[in-house]
Amino acid sequence: MAGGLFMGGAIAALFATALPLSSPNGGIEDPPPDKIVISVATVNGSGCPQGTAAVAVSPDNTAFTVTYSDYLAQVGGNADPIAFRKNCQLNLNVHVPQGFTYAIASADYRGFASLQRGASSTEKASYYFQGSPNTASITHSFRGPYGDDWQATDTTDWAQLVWAPCGV
């Protein structure tokens, strides 16, 4: 990376969807009366030290927002040599009704970036289910000069969704 780089103040929102494992008529059934419920078990990493991430779950428990007050990646100038890369891992507990499974359908990321001419930055998200060998990653790149808020949205086509294992 050339020049200076600053990315921080990220907000992430995740939306999950529940679908039936199978339907007798081959179509998609109506959602069950019991709702999918998401709770955030842990938030940790170099980009979200303890006490710097606030989690808000939507009233219907189907989505949540995490606001990071100290998520800051920097390079150049007086930046700490290891400040160029930050991460934060969210571990979720998800309850889905009997006979249904779930997948991550979309996630939004927002923040602020200040990139000098010639500098570049990358936001990368990886999605996986505990115990599964499959990990999906999506990368968004930004190039300087840039000095503004940014937003990145990860979405997955329904046919490409990776579902949680049954009974987990």
Side-chain angles (χ1 to χ4, degrees):
M1 287 185 211
L5 161 69
F6 161 81
M7 288 190 78
I11 297 173
L14 177 79
F15 304 96
T17 187
L19 288 178
L21 296 176
S22 62
S23 171
N25 62 8
I28 294 181
E29 297 176 3
D30 288 334
D34 187 17
K35 292 186 176 193
I36 185 172
V37 177
I38 301 169
S39 63
V40 178
T42 61
V43 178
N44 60 52
S46 61
C48 52
Q50 187 173 3
T52 66
V55 179
V57 179
S58 68
D60 67 357
N61 292 319
T62 61
F64 67 94
T65 301
V66 180
T67 304
Y68 304 97
S69 63
D70 197 28
Y71 203 117
L72 174 64
Q74 291 179 286
V75 67
N78 294 328
D80 187 322
I82 61 171
F84 74 98
R85 180 181 180 142
K86 297 292 177 157
N87 68 64
C88 190
Q89 180 170 330
L90 305 176
N91 295 303
L92 309 176
N93 291 321
V94 181
H95 163 76
V96 292
Q98 183 71 28
F100 282 68
T101 187
Y102 65 95
I104 299 168
S106 68
D108 292 320
Y109 300 90
R110 297 179 189 95
F112 179 83
S114 177
L115 303 170
Q116 293 180 4
R117 182 176 311 282
S120 63
S121 171
T122 301
E123 179 273 329
K124 177 181 179 182
S126 298
Y127 306 93
Y128 64 93
F129 294 104
Q130 185 174 342
S132 173
N134 301 327
T135 298
S137 296
I138 301 175
T139 301
H140 301 277
S141 299
F142 303 89
R143 292 202 161 293
Y146 190 93
D148 204 350
D149 293 328
W150 59 269
Q151 178 174 346
T153 300
D154 298 346
T155 57
T156 304
D157 289 334
W158 286 95
Q160 300 299 315
L161 289 174
V162 176
W163 300 97
C166 298
V168 176

